[in-house]
Amino acid sequence: MLGLSALGGIVCLINPTDVSKLLGVSSSNPFWIGLGVLSLPVAYVVLYATVRSPLRLWKGCFTMPNIRLAVGQIAIGTLNFTFVAACLHQVLASEAPVSFVQSATAFVLANVAILVAHVPGGLGVLEATVTTVLPGAASIGGLVAFRVIYFLVPLLLGLPVFAISELITRNVKKKRLDKGREKPSEPQAQLL
């Protein structure tokens, strides 16, 4: 969420025209929206820098890590969403001339719409938002290719890796349990 808000704030500051067009606000409002959205990661870092005792919220207690971890989380999250926006840019740029900033704007606004809509996987919401932001560039083929690259390929790679890691973990646990159940032989028992 921090990475998306950081990229969203940057996009609002760099590309206010497309943001104002989609949100239906004046061209000066995206600047303030961008500053407001960027204040979330800044507040997160300030919280980590200033709060030393565990933070208690409702029934939970959270220990605050150091500031380097907080900055790293924001940097990696922003980089992750930037790479995903770059993936979207590549599939859209194959159909029509689209800038990376426009693709990133469409991606960020689509993610906000997905969060608001609560549609599983953002099915249809991403496509509708990208088509609205980039009407000449968004093709169904490009958006389907993006879905395959972003959702299906990681799933197909992740399932066998997950299955193998589970098998290895179970075998290691089973060996440890079996080793703990073994009784020492007669000569070993005498030594103990």
Side-chain angles (χ1 to χ4, degrees), residues 33-97:
I33 293 169
L35 288 180
V37 171
L38 280 174
S39 70
L40 295 173
V42 170
Y44 181 73
V45 170
V46 168
L47 183 69
Y48 273 77
T50 57
V51 175
R52 301 286 179 226
S53 61
L55 184 63
R56 296 183 191 284
L57 293 174
W58 297 284
K59 295 180 181 180
C61 182
F62 305 96
T63 304
M64 305 300 273
N66 62 30
I67 192 163
R68 288 178 56 199
L69 181 62
V71 171
Q73 288 173 329
I74 294 168
I76 290 172
T78 305
L79 194 60
N80 173 51
F81 280 108
T82 303
F83 285 150
V84 176
C87 175
L88 179 64
H89 173 256
Q90 289 302 303
V91 297
L92 294 178
S94 68
E95 299 288 326

CSV table of all heavy atoms in Angstrom, one decimal, residues 33-97:
chain,number,residue,atom,x,y,z
A,33,ILE,N,-3.9,16.5,-4.4
A,33,ILE,CA,-4.1,15.0,-4.1
A,33,ILE,C,-2.8,14.3,-4.0
A,33,ILE,O,-2.6,13.4,-3.2
A,33,ILE,CB,-5.0,14.4,-5.3
A,33,ILE,CG1,-6.4,15.0,-5.2
A,33,ILE,CG2,-5.0,12.9,-5.2
A,33,ILE,CD1,-7.3,14.7,-6.4
A,34,GLY,N,-1.8,14.6,-4.9
A,34,GLY,CA,-0.5,14.0,-4.9
A,34,GLY,C,0.2,14.3,-3.6
A,34,GLY,O,0.8,13.4,-3.1
A,35,LEU,N,0.2,15.5,-3.2
A,35,LEU,CA,0.9,15.8,-1.9
A,35,LEU,C,0.2,15.1,-0.7
A,35,LEU,O,0.9,14.6,0.2
A,35,LEU,CB,0.8,17.3,-1.6
A,35,LEU,CG,1.8,18.2,-2.5
A,35,LEU,CD1,1.7,19.6,-2.1
A,35,LEU,CD2,3.2,17.7,-2.4
A,36,GLY,N,-1.1,15.0,-0.8
A,36,GLY,CA,-1.8,14.2,0.3
A,36,GLY,C,-1.5,12.8,0.3
A,36,GLY,O,-1.3,12.2,1.3
A,37,VAL,N,-1.4,12.2,-0.9
A,37,VAL,CA,-1.1,10.8,-1.0
A,37,VAL,C,0.3,10.5,-0.6
A,37,VAL,O,0.6,9.5,0.1
A,37,VAL,CB,-1.4,10.2,-2.4
A,37,VAL,CG1,-0.9,8.8,-2.6
A,37,VAL,CG2,-2.9,10.3,-2.7
A,38,LEU,N,1.2,11.4,-1.0
A,38,LEU,CA,2.6,11.2,-0.6
A,38,LEU,C,2.8,11.4,0.9
A,38,LEU,O,3.9,11.0,1.4
A,38,LEU,CB,3.5,12.2,-1.4
A,38,LEU,CG,3.9,11.8,-2.8
A,38,LEU,CD1,4.6,12.9,-3.5
A,38,LEU,CD2,4.7,10.5,-2.8
A,39,SER,N,1.9,12.1,1.6
A,39,SER,CA,2.1,12.3,3.0
A,39,SER,C,1.9,11.0,3.8
A,39,SER,O,2.4,10.8,4.9
A,39,SER,CB,1.0,13.3,3.5
A,39,SER,OG,-0.3,12.8,3.5
A,40,LEU,N,1.2,10.0,3.2
A,40,LEU,CA,1.1,8.7,3.9
A,40,LEU,C,2.4,8.0,4.1
A,40,LEU,O,2.8,7.6,5.2
A,40,LEU,CB,0.1,7.8,3.1
A,40,LEU,CG,-1.3,8.3,3.0
A,40,LEU,CD1,-2.1,7.4,2.1
A,40,LEU,CD2,-1.9,8.3,4.4
A,41,PRO,N,3.3,7.8,3.0
A,41,PRO,CA,4.6,7.2,3.3
A,41,PRO,C,5.5,8.0,4.2
A,41,PRO,O,6.2,7.5,5.0
A,41,PRO,CB,5.2,7.0,1.9
A,41,PRO,CG,4.1,7.3,0.9
A,41,PRO,CD,3.0,7.9,1.6
A,42,VAL,N,5.4,9.3,4.0
A,42,VAL,CA,6.2,10.2,4.9
A,42,VAL,C,5.7,10.1,6.3
A,42,VAL,O,6.6,10.0,7.2
A,42,VAL,CB,6.0,11.7,4.4
A,42,VAL,CG1,6.6,12.7,5.4
A,42,VAL,CG2,6.7,11.9,3.1
A,43,ALA,N,4.4,10.0,6.6
A,43,ALA,CA,3.9,9.8,8.0
A,43,ALA,C,4.4,8.5,8.5
A,43,ALA,O,4.7,8.4,9.7
A,43,ALA,CB,2.4,9.9,8.0
A,44,TYR,N,4.4,7.5,7.7
A,44,TYR,CA,4.9,6.1,8.1
A,44,TYR,C,6.3,6.2,8.5
A,44,TYR,O,6.7,5.6,9.6
A,44,TYR,CB,4.7,5.2,6.9
A,44,TYR,CG,5.1,3.8,7.1
A,44,TYR,CD1,4.3,2.9,7.9
A,44,TYR,CD2,6.2,3.2,6.5
A,44,TYR,CE1,4.7,1.6,8.0
A,44,TYR,CE2,6.6,1.9,6.7
A,44,TYR,CZ,5.8,1.1,7.4
A,44,TYR,OH,6.1,-0.2,7.6
A,45,VAL,N,7.2,6.9,7.8
A,45,VAL,CA,8.6,7.0,8.1
A,45,VAL,C,8.8,7.8,9.4
A,45,VAL,O,9.5,7.4,10.3
A,45,VAL,CB,9.4,7.6,7.0
A,45,VAL,CG1,10.8,7.9,7.4
A,45,VAL,CG2,9.5,6.6,5.8
A,46,VAL,N,8.0,8.9,9.5
A,46,VAL,CA,8.1,9.7,10.8
A,46,VAL,C,7.6,8.9,12.0
A,46,VAL,O,8.2,8.9,13.0
A,46,VAL,CB,7.2,11.0,10.6
A,46,VAL,CG1,7.0,11.7,11.9
A,46,VAL,CG2,7.9,11.9,9.6
A,47,LEU,N,6.6,8.1,11.8
A,47,LEU,CA,6.1,7.2,12.9
A,47,LEU,C,7.2,6.2,13.3
A,47,LEU,O,7.5,6.1,14.5
A,47,LEU,CB,4.9,6.4,12.4
A,47,LEU,CG,4.2,5.5,13.4
A,47,LEU,CD1,3.6,6.4,14.5
A,47,LEU,CD2,3.1,4.7,12.8
A,48,TYR,N,7.9,5.6,12.4
A,48,TYR,CA,8.9,4.7,12.7
A,48,TYR,C,10.1,5.4,13.3
A,48,TYR,O,10.8,4.8,14.1
A,48,TYR,CB,9.4,3.9,11.4
A,48,TYR,CG,8.6,2.7,11.1
A,48,TYR,CD1,7.3,2.8,10.6
A,48,TYR,CD2,9.0,1.5,11.5
A,48,TYR,CE1,6.5,1.7,10.3
A,48,TYR,CE2,8.3,0.3,11.2
A,48,TYR,CZ,7.0,0.5,10.7
A,48,TYR,OH,6.3,-0.6,10.4
A,49,ALA,N,10.4,6.6,12.9
A,49,ALA,CA,11.5,7.3,13.4
A,49,ALA,C,11.3,7.9,14.8
A,49,ALA,O,12.3,8.0,15.6
A,49,ALA,CB,11.9,8.5,12.5
A,50,THR,N,10.1,8.1,15.2
A,50,THR,CA,9.8,8.7,16.5
A,50,THR,C,9.2,7.8,17.6
A,50,THR,O,9.5,8.0,18.7
A,50,THR,CB,8.8,9.9,16.3
A,50,THR,OG1,7.6,9.4,15.7
A,50,THR,CG2,9.4,11.0,15.5
A,51,VAL,N,8.5,6.8,17.2
A,51,VAL,CA,7.9,5.9,18.2
A,51,VAL,C,8.9,4.8,18.5
A,51,VAL,O,9.3,4.0,17.7
A,51,VAL,CB,6.6,5.3,17.6
A,51,VAL,CG1,6.0,4.2,18.6
A,51,VAL,CG2,5.6,6.3,17.3
A,52,ARG,N,9.2,4.7,19.8
A,52,ARG,CA,10.2,3.7,20.3
A,52,ARG,C,9.5,2.6,21.0
A,52,ARG,O,10.0,1.5,21.0
A,52,ARG,CB,11.2,4.4,21.2
A,52,ARG,CG,12.0,5.5,20.5
A,52,ARG,CD,13.0,4.9,19.6
A,52,ARG,NE,13.7,6.0,19.0
A,52,ARG,CZ,14.0,6.1,17.7
A,52,ARG,NH1,13.6,5.2,16.9
A,52,ARG,NH2,14.6,7.1,17.2
A,53,SER,N,8.4,2.8,21.6
A,53,SER,CA,7.8,1.7,22.4
A,53,SER,C,6.8,1.0,21.5
A,53,SER,O,6.4,1.6,20.4
A,53,SER,CB,7.0,2.3,23.6
A,53,SER,OG,6.0,3.2,23.1
A,54,PRO,N,6.4,-0.2,21.8
A,54,PRO,CA,5.4,-0.9,21.0
A,54,PRO,C,4.1,-0.1,20.8
A,54,PRO,O,3.6,0.5,21.7
A,54,PRO,CB,5.2,-2.2,21.7
A,54,PRO,CG,6.4,-2.4,22.6
A,54,PRO,CD,6.8,-1.0,23.0
A,55,LEU,N,3.6,-0.1,19.6
A,55,LEU,CA,2.4,0.6,19.2
A,55,LEU,C,1.2,-0.4,19.5
A,55,LEU,O,1.1,-1.5,19.0
A,55,LEU,CB,2.4,1.0,17.8
A,55,LEU,CG,1.3,1.8,17.2
A,55,LEU,CD1,1.2,3.2,17.9
A,55,LEU,CD2,1.5,2.0,15.7
A,56,ARG,N,0.2,0.1,20.3
A,56,ARG,CA,-1.0,-0.7,20.6
A,56,ARG,C,-2.2,-0.2,19.8
A,56,ARG,O,-2.5,1.0,20.0
A,56,ARG,CB,-1.2,-0.7,22.1
A,56,ARG,CG,-0.1,-1.3,22.9
A,56,ARG,CD,-0.4,-1.3,24.4
A,56,ARG,NE,0.7,-1.7,25.2
A,56,ARG,CZ,1.2,-2.9,25.3
A,56,ARG,NH1,0.7,-3.9,24.7
A,56,ARG,NH2,2.3,-3.1,26.0
A,57,LEU,N,-2.8,-1.1,19.0
A,57,LEU,CA,-4.0,-0.7,18.3
A,57,LEU,C,-5.0,-1.8,18.6
A,57,LEU,O,-4.8,-3.0,18.3
A,57,LEU,CB,-3.7,-0.7,16.8
A,57,LEU,CG,-2.8,0.5,16.3
A,57,LEU,CD1,-2.5,0.3,14.8
A,57,LEU,CD2,-3.5,1.8,16.6
A,58,TRP,N,-6.1,-1.5,19.1
A,58,TRP,CA,-7.2,-2.4,19.6
A,58,TRP,C,-6.6,-3.5,20.4
A,58,TRP,O,-6.0,-3.2,21.5
A,58,TRP,CB,-7.9,-3.0,18.4
A,58,TRP,CG,-8.6,-1.9,17.6
A,58,TRP,CD1,-9.8,-1.3,17.9
A,58,TRP,CD2,-8.2,-1.3,16.4
A,58,TRP,NE1,-10.1,-0.3,17.0
A,58,TRP,CE2,-9.2,-0.3,16.0
A,58,TRP,CE3,-7.1,-1.5,15.5
A,58,TRP,CZ2,-9.1,0.5,14.9
A,58,TRP,CZ3,-7.1,-0.7,14.4
A,58,TRP,CH2,-8.0,0.2,14.1
A,59,LYS,N,-6.6,-4.7,20.0
A,59,LYS,CA,-6.1,-5.8,20.8
A,59,LYS,C,-4.7,-6.2,20.4
A,59,LYS,O,-4.0,-7.0,21.0
A,59,LYS,CB,-7.0,-7.1,20.7
A,59,LYS,CG,-8.4,-6.9,21.2
A,59,LYS,CD,-9.2,-8.1,21.1
A,59,LYS,CE,-10.6,-7.9,21.6
A,59,LYS,NZ,-11.4,-9.1,21.5
A,60,GLY,N,-4.1,-5.6,19.3
A,60,GLY,CA,-2.8,-5.9,18.8
A,60,GLY,C,-1.7,-5.0,19.4
A,60,GLY,O,-2.0,-3.9,19.8
A,61,CYS,N,-0.5,-5.5,19.4
A,61,CYS,CA,0.7,-4.8,19.8
A,61,CYS,C,1.7,-4.9,18.7
A,61,CYS,O,2.1,-6.1,18.3
A,61,CYS,CB,1.2,-5.3,21.1
A,61,CYS,SG,2.6,-4.4,21.8
A,62,PHE,N,2.2,-3.8,18.2
A,62,PHE,CA,3.2,-3.9,17.1
A,62,PHE,C,4.5,-3.2,17.5
A,62,PHE,O,4.5,-2.1,18.0
A,62,PHE,CB,2.6,-3.1,15.9
A,62,PHE,CG,1.3,-3.6,15.4
A,62,PHE,CD1,0.1,-3.0,15.8
A,62,PHE,CD2,1.2,-4.7,14.6
A,62,PHE,CE1,-1.1,-3.4,15.4
A,62,PHE,CE2,-0.1,-5.1,14.2
A,62,PHE,CZ,-1.2,-4.5,14.6
A,63,THR,N,5.5,-4.0,17.3
A,63,THR,CA,6.9,-3.5,17.6
A,63,THR,C,7.4,-2.8,16.4
A,63,THR,O,7.3,-3.3,15.3
A,63,THR,CB,7.8,-4.6,18.0
A,63,THR,OG1,7.3,-5.3,19.1
A,63,THR,CG2,9.2,-4.0,18.4
A,64,MET,N,7.8,-1.5,16.5
A,64,MET,CA,8.3,-0.7,15.4
A,64,MET,C,9.7,-1.1,15.1
A,64,MET,O,10.6,-1.0,15.9
A,64,MET,CB,8.2,0.7,15.8
A,64,MET,CG,6.8,1.2,16.2
A,64,MET,SD,5.5,0.9,15.0
A,64,MET,CE,5.6,2.4,14.1
A,65,PRO,N,10.0,-1.5,13.8
A,65,PRO,CA,11.3,-1.7,13.4
A,65,PRO,C,12.1,-0.4,13.2
A,65,PRO,O,11.5,0.6,13.3
A,65,PRO,CB,11.2,-2.5,12.1
A,65,PRO,CG,9.9,-2.2,11.6
A,65,PRO,CD,9.0,-1.8,12.8
A,66,ASN,N,13.3,-0.5,12.8
A,66,ASN,CA,14.1,0.7,12.6
A,66,ASN,C,13.7,1.4,11.3
A,66,ASN,O,13.0,0.9,10.5
A,66,ASN,CB,15.6,0.4,12.6
A,66,ASN,CG,16.0,-0.5,11.4
A,66,ASN,OD1,15.4,-0.5,10.4
A,66,ASN,ND2,17.0,-1.3,11.6
A,67,ILE,N,14.2,2.6,11.2
A,67,ILE,CA,13.8,3.5,10.1
A,67,ILE,C,14.3,3.0,8.7
A,67,ILE,O,13.7,3.2,7.7
A,67,ILE,CB,14.2,5.0,10.4
A,67,ILE,CG1,13.6,5.9,9.4
A,67,ILE,CG2,15.7,5.1,10.3
A,67,ILE,CD1,13.6,7.3,9.8
A,68,ARG,N,15.5,2.3,8.8
A,68,ARG,CA,16.0,1.8,7.5
A,68,ARG,C,15.0,0.8,6.9
A,68,ARG,O,14.8,0.7,5.7
A,68,ARG,CB,17.3,1.1,7.7
A,68,ARG,CG,18.4,2.1,8.0
A,68,ARG,CD,19.8,1.5,8.3
A,68,ARG,NE,20.1,0.6,7.2
A,68,ARG,CZ,21.0,-0.3,7.3
A,68,ARG,NH1,21.7,-0.5,8.4
A,68,ARG,NH2,21.4,-1.1,6.2
A,69,LEU,N,14.4,0.0,7.7
A,69,LEU,CA,13.4,-1.0,7.2
A,69,LEU,C,12.2,-0.3,6.6
A,69,LEU,O,11.7,-0.7,5.6
A,69,LEU,CB,13.0,-2.0,8.3
A,69,LEU,CG,12.0,-3.0,7.9
A,69,LEU,CD1,12.6,-3.9,6.9
A,69,LEU,CD2,11.6,-3.9,9.1
A,70,ALA,N,11.7,0.8,7.3
A,70,ALA,CA,10.5,1.5,6.8
A,70,ALA,C,10.8,2.1,5.5
A,70,ALA,O,10.0,2.1,4.5
A,70,ALA,CB,10.2,2.6,7.8
A,71,VAL,N,12.0,2.8,5.3
A,71,VAL,CA,12.4,3.4,4.0
A,71,VAL,C,12.5,2.3,3.0
A,71,VAL,O,12.1,2.5,1.8
A,71,VAL,CB,13.6,4.2,4.2
A,71,VAL,CG1,14.2,4.7,2.9
A,71,VAL,CG2,13.4,5.4,5.1
A,72,GLY,N,13.1,1.2,3.4
A,72,GLY,CA,13.3,0.1,2.4
A,72,GLY,C,11.9,-0.5,1.9
A,72,GLY,O,11.7,-0.8,0.8
A,73,GLN,N,11.0,-0.6,2.9
A,73,GLN,CA,9.6,-1.1,2.5
A,73,GLN,C,9.0,-0.2,1.5
A,73,GLN,O,8.4,-0.6,0.5
A,73,GLN,CB,8.7,-1.2,3.7
A,73,GLN,CG,9.1,-2.3,4.7
A,73,GLN,CD,8.3,-2.2,5.9
A,73,GLN,OE1,7.9,-1.2,6.4
A,73,GLN,NE2,8.0,-3.4,6.5
A,74,ILE,N,9.1,1.1,1.7
A,74,ILE,CA,8.5,2.1,0.7
A,74,ILE,C,9.2,2.0,-0.6
A,74,ILE,O,8.6,2.0,-1.7
A,74,ILE,CB,8.5,3.5,1.3
A,74,ILE,CG1,7.6,3.6,2.6
A,74,ILE,CG2,8.1,4.5,0.3
A,74,ILE,CD1,7.8,4.8,3.4
A,75,ALA,N,10.6,2.0,-0.6
A,75,ALA,CA,11.3,2.0,-1.8
A,75,ALA,C,11.0,0.7,-2.6
A,75,ALA,O,10.8,0.8,-3.8
A,75,ALA,CB,12.8,2.0,-1.5
A,76,ILE,N,11.0,-0.5,-2.0
A,76,ILE,CA,10.8,-1.7,-2.7
A,76,ILE,C,9.3,-1.8,-3.2
A,76,ILE,O,9.1,-2.2,-4.3
A,76,ILE,CB,11.1,-2.9,-1.8
A,76,ILE,CG1,12.6,-3.0,-1.6
A,76,ILE,CG2,10.6,-4.2,-2.4
A,76,ILE,CD1,13.1,-4.0,-0.6
A,77,GLY,N,8.4,-1.3,-2.4
A,77,GLY,CA,7.0,-1.3,-2.8
A,77,GLY,C,6.8,-0.4,-4.0
A,77,GLY,O,6.1,-0.7,-5.0
A,78,THR,N,7.4,0.8,-4.0
A,78,THR,CA,7.3,1.7,-5.1
A,78,THR,C,7.9,1.1,-6.3
A,78,THR,O,7.4,1.2,-7.5
A,78,THR,CB,7.9,3.1,-4.8
A,78,THR,OG1,7.3,3.6,-3.6
A,78,THR,CG2,7.7,4.1,-5.9
A,79,LEU,N,9.1,0.5,-6.2
A,79,LEU,CA,9.8,-0.1,-7.3
A,79,LEU,C,9.0,-1.3,-7.9
A,79,LEU,O,8.9,-1.4,-9.1
A,79,LEU,CB,11.2,-0.6,-6.8
A,79,LEU,CG,12.2,-1.0,-7.9
A,79,LEU,CD1,12.5,0.2,-8.8
A,79,LEU,CD2,13.4,-1.5,-7.2
A,80,ASN,N,8.3,-2.0,-7.0
A,80,ASN,CA,7.5,-3.1,-7.5
A,80,ASN,C,6.3,-2.6,-8.3
A,80,ASN,O,6.1,-3.1,-9.5
A,80,ASN,CB,6.9,-3.9,-6.3
A,80,ASN,CG,5.9,-4.9,-6.7
A,80,ASN,OD1,6.1,-5.8,-7.6
A,80,ASN,ND2,4.7,-4.9,-6.0
A,81,PHE,N,5.6,-1.6,-7.9
A,81,PHE,CA,4.5,-1.1,-8.7
A,81,PHE,C,5.0,-0.4,-9.9
A,81,PHE,O,4.3,-0.4,-10.9
A,81,PHE,CB,3.6,-0.1,-7.8
A,81,PHE,CG,2.7,-0.9,-6.9
A,81,PHE,CD1,2.9,-0.9,-5.6
A,81,PHE,CD2,1.6,-1.5,-7.5
A,81,PHE,CE1,2.0,-1.6,-4.7
A,81,PHE,CE2,0.7,-2.2,-6.7
A,81,PHE,CZ,0.9,-2.3,-5.3
A,82,THR,N,6.2,0.2,-9.9
A,82,THR,CA,6.8,0.8,-11.1
A,82,THR,C,7.0,-0.2,-12.1
A,82,THR,O,6.8,0.0,-13.3
A,82,THR,CB,8.1,1.6,-10.7
A,82,THR,OG1,7.8,2.6,-9.7
A,82,THR,CG2,8.6,2.3,-11.9
A,83,PHE,N,7.6,-1.4,-11.7
A,83,PHE,CA,7.8,-2.5,-12.7
A,83,PHE,C,6.5,-3.0,-13.2
A,83,PHE,O,6.5,-3.4,-14.4
A,83,PHE,CB,8.7,-3.6,-12.0
A,83,PHE,CG,10.1,-3.3,-11.8
A,83,PHE,CD1,10.8,-3.8,-10.8
A,83,PHE,CD2,10.8,-2.4,-12.7
A,83,PHE,CE1,12.2,-3.5,-10.6
A,83,PHE,CE2,12.1,-2.1,-12.5
A,83,PHE,CZ,12.8,-2.6,-11.5
A,84,VAL,N,5.5,-3.2,-12.4
A,84,VAL,CA,4.2,-3.6,-12.9
A,84,VAL,C,3.6,-2.6,-13.9
A,84,VAL,O,3.1,-3.0,-15.0
A,84,VAL,CB,3.2,-3.9,-11.8
A,84,VAL,CG1,1.9,-4.4,-12.3
A,84,VAL,CG2,3.8,-5.0,-10.8
A,85,ALA,N,3.8,-1.4,-13.6
A,85,ALA,CA,3.3,-0.3,-14.5
A,85,ALA,C,4.1,-0.4,-15.8
A,85,ALA,O,3.6,-0.2,-16.9
A,85,ALA,CB,3.4,1.1,-13.9
A,86,ALA,N,5.4,-0.7,-15.7
A,86,ALA,CA,6.3,-0.9,-16.9
A,86,ALA,C,5.8,-2.1,-17.8
A,86,ALA,O,5.8,-2.0,-19.0
A,86,ALA,CB,7.7,-1.1,-16.5
A,87,CYS,N,5.3,-3.1,-17.1
A,87,CYS,CA,4.8,-4.3,-17.8
A,87,CYS,C,3.5,-3.9,-18.6
A,87,CYS,O,3.4,-4.2,-19.8
A,87,CYS,CB,4.5,-5.4,-16.9
A,87,CYS,SG,3.7,-6.8,-17.6
A,88,LEU,N,2.7,-3.1,-17.9
A,88,LEU,CA,1.5,-2.6,-18.6
A,88,LEU,C,1.8,-1.7,-19.7
A,88,LEU,O,1.3,-1.8,-20.8
A,88,LEU,CB,0.6,-1.9,-17.6
A,88,LEU,CG,-0.7,-1.3,-18.2
A,88,LEU,CD1,-1.6,-2.3,-18.7
A,88,LEU,CD2,-1.4,-0.4,-17.1
A,89,HIS,N,2.9,-0.9,-19.5
A,89,HIS,CA,3.3,0.0,-20.6
A,89,HIS,C,3.8,-0.7,-21.8
A,89,HIS,O,3.4,-0.4,-23.0
A,89,HIS,CB,4.4,0.9,-20.1
A,89,HIS,CG,5.1,1.8,-21.1
A,89,HIS,ND1,6.3,1.5,-21.7
A,89,HIS,CD2,4.6,2.9,-21.8
A,89,HIS,CE1,6.6,2.4,-22.6
A,89,HIS,NE2,5.6,3.2,-22.7
A,90,GLN,N,4.5,-1.8,-21.6
A,90,GLN,CA,5.0,-2.6,-22.7
A,90,GLN,C,3.9,-3.2,-23.6
A,90,GLN,O,4.0,-3.2,-24.8
A,90,GLN,CB,6.0,-3.6,-22.3
A,90,GLN,CG,7.3,-3.1,-21.8
A,90,GLN,CD,8.0,-2.2,-22.8
A,90,GLN,OE1,8.3,-2.7,-23.9
A,90,GLN,NE2,8.3,-1.0,-22.6
A,91,VAL,N,2.9,-3.7,-22.9
A,91,VAL,CA,1.8,-4.4,-23.7
A,91,VAL,C,0.9,-3.3,-24.4
A,91,VAL,O,0.4,-3.5,-25.4
A,91,VAL,CB,0.9,-5.3,-22.8
A,91,VAL,CG1,1.8,-6.5,-22.3
A,91,VAL,CG2,0.2,-4.6,-21.7
A,92,LEU,N,0.8,-2.1,-23.7
A,92,LEU,CA,0.0,-1.1,-24.4
A,92,LEU,C,0.8,-0.4,-25.5
A,92,LEU,O,0.2,0.0,-26.5
A,92,LEU,CB,-0.4,0.0,-23.3
A,92,LEU,CG,-1.4,-0.5,-22.3
A,92,LEU,CD1,-1.7,0.7,-21.3
A,92,LEU,CD2,-2.7,-1.0,-22.9
A,93,ALA,N,2.1,-0.2,-25.3
A,93,ALA,CA,2.9,0.4,-26.3
A,93,ALA,C,3.1,-0.4,-27.6
A,93,ALA,O,3.4,0.1,-28.6
A,93,ALA,CB,4.3,0.7,-25.7
A,94,SER,N,2.8,-1.7,-27.5
A,94,SER,CA,2.8,-2.5,-28.7
A,94,SER,C,1.7,-2.2,-29.6
A,94,SER,O,1.7,-2.5,-30.8
A,94,SER,CB,2.8,-4.0,-28.3
A,94,SER,OG,1.6,-4.3,-27.8
A,95,GLU,N,0.6,-1.6,-29.1
A,95,GLU,CA,-0.6,-1.3,-29.9
A,95,GLU,C,-0.6,0.2,-30.3
A,95,GLU,O,-1.1,0.5,-31.4
A,95,GLU,CB,-1.9,-1.6,-29.1
A,95,GLU,CG,-2.0,-3.0,-28.7
A,95,GLU,CD,-2.4,-3.9,-29.8
A,95,GLU,OE1,-3.1,-3.5,-30.7
A,95,GLU,OE2,-1.9,-5.1,-29.8
A,96,ALA,N,-0.2,1.1,-29.5
A,96,ALA,CA,-0.3,2.5,-29.8
A,96,ALA,C,0.8,3.3,-29.0
A,96,ALA,O,1.3,2.8,-28.0
A,96,ALA,CB,-1.6,3.0,-29.3
A,97,PRO,N,1.2,4.5,-29.5
A,97,PRO,CA,2.2,5.3,-28.8
A,97,PRO,C,1.7,5.8,-27.5
A,97,PRO,O,0.8,6.6,-27.4
A,97,PRO,CB,2.5,6.4,-29.8
A,97,PRO,CG,1.3,6.5,-30.6
A,97,PRO,CD,0.7,5.2,-30.7
